Amino acid sequence: MAPPAPFRERQELMDADRLSRTLSRMAHEILERHPDIRGTVLVGVRTRGVPLARRLAARMKEASGFEPPVGALDITLYRDDLTTVGPQPVLKGTDIPTSIDGRTVVLVDDVLFTGRTVRAALDELIDFGRPARIELAVLVDRGHRELPIHAVLLLERVAGPRPRTPARKRRRRR
Amino acid sequence: MTAPAYPHRHLLGIEPLEASHIQAVLDTAEALREVLDRPIKKVPALRGKTVVNLFYEASTRTRASFEIAEKVLSADSLSIATSTSSVQKGETLLDTAKNLEAMNPDMIVLRHSASGAAHFLARHCRSAIVNAGDGAHEHPTQALLDALTLRQRKGRLEGLRVAIVGDVLHSRVARSNLWLLTKMGAKVTLCAPPTLMPPGIETLAPTTSRIEEAVEGADAIMMLRIQQERMTGGYFPTLREYHARFGLTEERVRLAKKDVLILHPGPMNRGVEIASEVADGPYSVILDQVTNGVAVRMAVLYLLLGGAEAA
């Protein structure tokens, strides 16, 4: 007898083609919201947010002629479950190539879920300076937020059933 | 779940580690180094963890860099120098450690003049133990920071030719480095006067008593301090004579590779084991070693105290 599936079945949300088009759309949206592109910094959340941020920056360059700087954020040291997750998570390092003081930071990640990663990312960013504004761009919103956080730039909403795994195990998936 | 990158509860020495564990510490240190360049040099990773630095021997670099590493990672720390503690009243190492443990620290960083002191504490204490130097046995964090410095400058450790020159007999730095470099695939040559070469060590690495032979073609030269405080007999006639035969001079540096790196664990005896022009010269990475020392100690703290207790 098959156990009840806690997750939605695997499904393709977008293929390479559609992802490419939606990234272009997102890049244009960022440019519309922030005409002063030189004051914008993209910061990808490791691991999967970083290539997304790079691709977005390339699209923004195509559209505006200016490529915004791209940083990478490793939020491990700011996790709220660092001393309960099991073995130490592997550190990949943070790299913010420019000052973020007074600039608009667009935080980029692939999936928004509990919001705990974003909370950690916000705390870490603030330790690098005082940005004028921080926005959040994600590809997919899985719902089930545990913190009052929402994305400004969002491509897909996928509200599956709440996973029945214990909270701690779920957070480990970040 | 994947196996932890560093599966040990303590850091007692390099000898029991595997190459992959050493790699994990170096990679973690590399990732953490950036924190030291931030406008706010502090991350909340080890909030609520308590570390006791228990130092039975004098130390500037090691103690300062452990303390800075602890503060940057937000651990609470206190340092006990035995000269101002109850050790003066005759308390034994074990009693001191047990009493400190009654205050529930998560880690004890120990420096002691007796070889094996850190192993002894690890057998009798609940806390994670980090060996910050035990007698003439091991000084693992020094070897790790030396390796990090070499890896940054040379891009690798494997295949490097490294000369370790000086007071090998009394040097825990030499032993830890010998273990580490050998495990990582570097080729080590040891050089000391015959009186300062521990018998039997030639089974671990080639030895010589001619510095010219040791440094010829070397990618890196690690100089060791003449440890007069540990010397009980006449190991060489005079410091001047030692410098003439074994001191690292510019002339001798020229025998090594063009891009040789000069390392010294400090404190230096200028004009004895190393000439001032060499210590301050273009090949010297002695101050890089100190900066890397903080990163390596942060990595050790993170790997031992981050994550849940091993079940």
Side-chain angles (χ1 to χ4, degrees):
Chain A
M1 198 175 66
F7 294 105
R8 260 165 85 134
E9 274 188 44
R10 180 186 290 265
Q11 84 180 86
E12 187 174 289
L13 296 175
M14 43 185 112
D15 57 17
D17 224 35
R18 181 150 169 241
L19 179 63
S20 169
R21 270 180 283 125
T22 43
L23 278 175
S24 290
R25 205 169 66 224
M26 198 181 242
H28 279 98
E29 220 174 303
I30 297 173
L31 288 169
E32 260 168 53
R33 294 177 61 88
H34 307 292
D36 175 23
I37 182 68
R38 278 162 211 280
T40 305
V41 182
L42 302 187
V43 175
V45 179
R46 281 201 199 274
T47 313
R48 296 199 180 101
V50 178
L52 278 177
R54 294 225 175 86
R55 288 181 71 177
L56 269 179
R59 298 303 161 87
M60 288 167 74
K61 186 182 181 190
E62 279 169 27
S64 73
F66 177 79
E67 187 167 348
V70 176
L73 210 57
D74 182 341
I75 56 107
T76 308
L77 298 169
Y78 289 74
R79 287 173 66 151
D80 56 13
D81 58 351
L82 184 60
T83 52
T84 53
V85 277
Q88 335 82 356
V90 174
L91 291 179
K92 304 253 171 60
T94 287
D95 175 28
I96 306 291
T98 170
S99 162
I100 59 170
D101 279 331
R103 299 196 175 181
T104 295
V105 175
V106 180
L107 205 56
V108 183
D109 205 355
D110 55 346
V111 179
L112 175 59
F113 185 29
T114 62
R116 288 178 192 267
T117 300
V118 177
R119 193 284 305 166
L122 291 174
D123 279 352
E124 181 161 13
L125 271 179
I126 300 295
D127 281 353
F128 278 89
R130 186 175 187 279
R133 178 183 290 109
I134 301 177
E135 295 188 343
L136 176 61
V138 296
L139 284 186
V140 176
D141 180 354
R142 278 180 67 190
H144 303 300
R145 211 78 74 243
E146 292 169 3
L147 294 172
I149 279 167
H150 79 112
V152 174
L153 298 144
L154 167 72
L155 291 180
E156 200 80 35
R157 211 178 288 277
V158 188
R162 188 172 187 79
R164 266 181 255 165
T165 41
R168 200 211 280 175
K169 193 167 172 200
R170 233 185 314 126
R171 286 205 296 279
R172 209 181 289 157
R173 291 171 187 282
R174 292 190 298 205
Chain B
M1 197 184 292
T2 51
Y6 183 88
H8 308 279
R9 234 172 78 66
H10 309 290
L11 175 62
L12 302 177
I14 300 293
E15 187 185 354
L17 301 185
E18 287 169 23
S20 70
H21 310 156
I22 295 166
Q23 195 81 40
V25 179
L26 297 181
D27 291 346
T28 305
E30 200 68 71
L32 284 167
R33 215 159 57 104
E34 155 273 325
V35 176
L36 300 171
D37 298 324
R38 294 186 187 186
I40 296 176
K41 300 187 282 286
K42 201 174 191 70
V43 293
L46 297 184
R47 260 186 325 162
K49 300 284 184 185
T50 309
V51 181
V52 176
N53 304 310
L54 184 55
F55 277 65
Y56 282 77
E57 280 190 323
S59 166
T60 308
R61 269 155 297 273
T62 305
R63 204 176 96 181
S65 69
F66 265 110
E67 284 185 27
I68 290 173
E70 287 149 9
K71 289 178 201 317
V72 169
L73 292 177
S74 297
D76 295 307
S77 67
L78 61 147
S79 293
I80 296 173
T82 51
S83 53
T84 55
S85 74
S86 286
V87 173
Q88 295 301 318
K89 301 175 188 166
E91 191 170 51
T92 65
L93 169 62
L94 185 57
D95 280 337
T96 303
K98 286 274 183 204
N99 277 276
L100 290 169
E101 276 224 311
M103 302 179 213
N104 264 327
D106 298 282
M107 176 187 278
I108 296 175
V109 178
L110 177 73
R111 165 165 292 189
H112 200 281
S113 57
S115 301
H119 288 74
F120 173 73
L121 275 202
R123 280 197 304 277
H124 291 97
C125 294
R126 298 187 306 275
S127 320
I129 306 293
V130 174
N131 183 1
D134 61 331
H137 177 229
E138 282 227 43
H139 189 354
T141 54
Q142 177 71 42
L144 288 162
L145 72 90
D146 289 344
L148 184 64
T149 309
L150 288 176
R151 205 178 69 162
Q152 274 163 9
R153 294 299 188 107
K154 298 288 182 192
R156 69 199 157 95
L157 294 171
E158 204 180 338
L160 288 186
R161 295 188 53 186
V162 182
I164 301 180
V165 182
D167 185 355
V168 178
L169 181 64
H170 298 104
S171 177
R172 53 196 173 210
V173 176
R175 283 167 185 73
S176 286
N177 263 312
L178 178 56
W179 286 118
L180 189 150
L181 292 168
T182 311
K183 282 172 197 279
M184 302 308 278
K187 295 189 195 71
V188 178
T189 304
L190 297 169
C191 173
T195 48
L196 288 174
M197 188 69 87
I201 202 156
E202 64 281 354
T203 58
L204 299 175
T207 61
T208 173
S209 51
R210 284 192 61 236
I211 184 170
E212 291 80 4
E213 190 184 322
V215 303
E216 197 176 345
D219 294 290
I221 306 171
M222 292 181 169
M223 297 308 295
L224 303 172
R225 182 172 65 91
I226 287 295
Q227 304 199 20
Q228 284 177 297
E229 77 276 19
R230 294 188 212 280
M231 291 187 182
T232 47
Y235 291 95
F236 48 83
T238 62
L239 291 175
R240 248 176 101 108
E241 177 80 8
Y242 182 85
H243 183 68
R245 293 283 305 276
F246 293 95
L248 189 63
T249 56
E250 283 189 309
E251 209 183 339
R252 286 171 176 151
V253 170
R254 278 194 284 275
L255 296 170
K257 289 219 177 103
K258 290 259 174 294
D259 56 349
V260 66
L261 301 176
I262 312 288
L263 294 88
H264 192 298
M268 285 186 279
N269 296 311
R270 286 171 183 266
V272 182
E273 69 264 5
I274 189 164
S276 266
E277 311 86 77
V278 176
D280 305 324
Y283 308 116
S284 163
V285 288
I286 293 170
L287 293 177
D288 289 25
Q289 290 175 270
V290 180
T291 309
N292 283 332
V294 179
V296 155
R297 279 145 194 151
M298 283 166 68
V300 170
L301 290 164
Y302 172 78
L303 290 171
L304 294 185
L305 294 180
E309 285 274 300

